[in-house]
Amino acid sequence: MPRIQGVDIPANKRVHVALTYIYGIGNKVAMDICEAAGIAPEVKSRDLSEDEVSRISTEIQNSHVVEGQLRRQVQQNITRLKDIACYRGIRHRRGLPVRGQNTRTNARTRKGPTRTMAKKKK
């Protein structure tokens, strides 16, 4: 199991798929990294040599923000939105959907499980 940027990537997958296990790297970026490092994307990650792993690692380090640093940036952006009390920040603070989704019936992922209300008496 090769270790890149502090993440164990799966050994039995192709390199371009295995790189997507790193937070901040998707399909397109994984293909770009393979091309820049001079590695065929179809090669299984268990067949990579130490030199190839180090080339991939340096390419990621030099041109991409991934893992802890990216998570920190995202969290700082959310905190900034909360601090300036803009609409998106207020939605984050209240735990409601941020991107304009319907909240009347759905949004259970953000709002949590339903809370039953007492029936109205006539």
Side-chain angles (χ1 to χ4, degrees), residues 1 57 59 63 65 74 80 90 92 97 102 108 116 119:
M1 239 187 215
S57 185
E59 178 61 34
S63 59
V65 179
V74 170
R80 178 181 53 82
I90 292 168
H92 273 292
N102 179 29
R108 289 279 60 120
T116 54
K119 286 188 175 179

Side-chain angles (χ1 to χ4, degrees), residues 28-95:
K28 171 78 169 76
V29 174
M31 293 297 280
D32 292 344
I33 290 169
C34 289
E35 185 180 322
I39 296 166
E42 298 82 27
V43 175
K44 300 273 185 171
S45 58
R46 67 173 167 252
D47 298 331
L48 291 174
S49 66
E50 289 298 321
D51 178 50
E52 291 171 330
V53 171
S54 66
R55 279 190 288 170
I56 290 173
S57 185
T58 55
E59 178 61 34
I60 292 172
Q61 200 169 20
N62 292 339
S63 59
H64 300 286
V65 179
V66 293
E67 280 301 319
Q69 190 177 0
L70 180 60
R71 290 179 203 269
R72 205 168 12 270
Q73 275 185 5
V74 170
Q75 200 56 49
Q76 286 172 347
N77 291 341
I78 292 171
T79 306
R80 178 181 53 82
L81 291 173
K82 288 179 182 178
D83 290 343
I84 63 175
C86 66
Y87 181 79
R88 283 173 54 203
I90 292 168
R91 302 297 280 186
H92 273 292
R93 198 179 300 153
R94 291 183 182 171

